Amino acid sequence: MKKQQWIVVASGLVLLLSLYFLGRTKPHASKTPAAQAAADHKEEQLESASILETAKSRLSPERQAWLTAKENSVVRGDVAGQKIKLYDELAAFWKDSAHVFEPFMYYLGEKSKLENSEKSLTFAAHLYLKQLKGVEQHALQVWMANQAADLFKQALTLNPGNDSSKIGLGSSYIFGASGASSPMEGIQRLLEVVRRDSTNMYAQFMLGYGGIMTGQFDKAIERLNLVVRAEPDNTEAVFLLAEAYERHGENAKAVQWYEEGKKFVQNPEALKEIDKRIKALK
């Protein structure tokens, strides 16, 4: 398992380059989009225990010993309260000392489940969704989607009417979380929201994302155009729209939106990559 930095890049630049210039949303060439989506959905999933053990094995013996002692420190008394404190300490360790994202998020999520606060549950769930878009290993991406889905489900028991959590759960299914027959079920959940509220740009954006993942580029273009009209500074939507046009074979439109996206990018190396993409499309 490849270690992921815990830090969420605020500019979105690393995520954008990994997603849009390395082709992570492109359907498998030898299968129809629907068939590939179903195959990906059924892929063997990673277990939390194995992810934690792999991360732990890469630490120094001293840190491993410290972690083992910490993990075994809850024995009796107010177990739930002790676990909340323990998970907070473990999350802080993986974030601030080890700088490994997966165990940091795991313990943050487990702490949120015990606290049973809608705010903490949705914060952790959305952080998983934000980070998983740039993950290269599909099985790891599915694990993160599963973690997010569990958190959104618990949040929805506290507030069943929260559209943001409904969209989050549907998005988790798009990325392969268990509990849905295919990513298309996740898209249907998002559609339930936009049918009630077409101005919900979070749902429209995720529908656009899901359209690209399932090869429905025309639908993705329709949704993403709505988003960029409503939110012209939405960098992620701008680049994703360029990607959708490119996948759909509309090179002139793709170039237009890649050019539009350049105004959000300050990094010279990233600008070079965008210019290469534009040149290839002309």
Side-chain angles (χ1 to χ4, degrees):
M1 179 188 72
K2 181 179 178 181
K3 286 187 179 180
Q4 303 293 324
Q5 282 287 343
W6 70 270
I7 300 172
V8 176
V9 181
S11 68
L13 179 60
V14 172
L15 178 142
L16 288 170
L17 291 179
S18 66
L19 178 60
Y20 306 127
F21 301 138
L22 299 182
R24 286 198 42 74
T25 53
K26 186 175 182 180
H28 196 284
S30 63
K31 299 180 180 179
T32 65
Q36 180 61 30
D40 287 346
H41 185 75
K42 295 177 181 179
E43 180 176 313
E44 183 178 353
Q45 297 176 6
L46 295 174
E47 298 294 333
S48 297
S50 66
I51 289 174
L52 295 175
E53 283 302 312
T54 299
K56 187 176 178 180
S57 70
R58 294 174 176 171
L59 299 173
S60 67
E62 293 77 16
R63 283 185 165 181
Q64 289 187 40
W66 180 86
L67 273 177
T68 299
K70 276 288 181 185
E71 292 163 351
N72 297 327
S73 63
V74 177
V75 180
R76 62 179 67 86
D78 179 14
V79 174
Q82 290 180 63
K83 282 187 174 180
I84 289 173
K85 181 180 178 182
L86 171 64
Y87 293 158
D88 188 52
E89 291 176 358
L90 292 174
F93 166 79
W94 286 107
K95 172 185 172 183
D96 298 326
S97 299
H99 306 298
V100 185
F101 179 80
E102 293 88 357
F104 156 61
M105 271 307 310
Y106 172 79
Y107 286 115
L108 183 66
E110 294 303 296
K111 175 191 172 187
S112 299
K113 291 176 185 177
L114 288 175
E115 290 175 333
N116 201 30
S117 157
E118 183 186 11
K119 182 178 179 180
S120 61
L121 287 164
T122 55
F123 175 80
H126 281 295
L127 190 53
Y128 267 121
L129 277 186
K130 184 180 180 76
Q131 193 75 7
L132 65 77
K133 296 174 189 174
V135 170
E136 296 176 8
Q137 184 182 349
H138 181 70
L140 179 57
Q141 189 180 64
V142 170
W143 174 80
M144 294 171 74
N146 276 323
Q147 299 304 306
D150 287 345
L151 292 162
F152 281 125
K153 287 175 185 176
Q154 187 169 334
L156 284 167
T157 64
L158 300 174
N159 184 2
N162 189 316
D163 277 349
S164 180
S165 293
K166 292 177 182 178
I167 296 165
L169 181 58
S171 301
S172 301
Y173 289 152
I174 288 174
F175 287 106
S178 59
S181 58
S182 74
M184 292 304 298
E185 185 173 333
I187 290 175
Q188 289 302 315
R189 287 177 176 266
L190 299 179
L191 287 171
E192 290 176 12
V193 174
V194 299
R195 284 167 185 151
R196 291 196 319 272
D197 179 13
S198 62
T199 65
N200 191 313
M201 291 301 120
Y202 177 34
Q204 297 284 12
F205 171 79
M206 289 310 304
L207 281 168
Y209 202 114
I212 289 185
M213 290 188 68
T214 56
Q216 301 177 87
F217 304 122
D218 54 341
K219 293 182 180 179
I221 289 168
E222 178 184 352
R223 300 293 180 181
L224 292 166
N225 266 303
L226 290 174
V227 177
V228 297
R229 283 198 294 268
E231 302 174 353
D233 292 334
N234 188 327
T235 311
E236 201 171 357
V238 167
F239 277 104
L240 196 58
L241 180 56
E243 173 82 359
Y245 275 122
E246 181 181 353
R247 300 295 189 200
H248 201 233
E250 298 183 59
N251 289 4
K253 286 283 189 179
V255 168
Q256 174 189 334
W257 285 102
Y258 281 126
E259 290 284 4
E260 179 69 16
K262 285 170 63 177
K263 72 182 184 183
F264 301 110
V265 180
Q266 303 299 320
N267 185 290
E269 292 302 315
L271 286 169
K272 286 181 182 178
E273 291 300 320
I274 297 171
D275 284 335
K276 285 180 183 178
R277 177 56 57 92
I278 290 171
K279 184 177 180 181
L281 290 169
K282 288 183 173 179

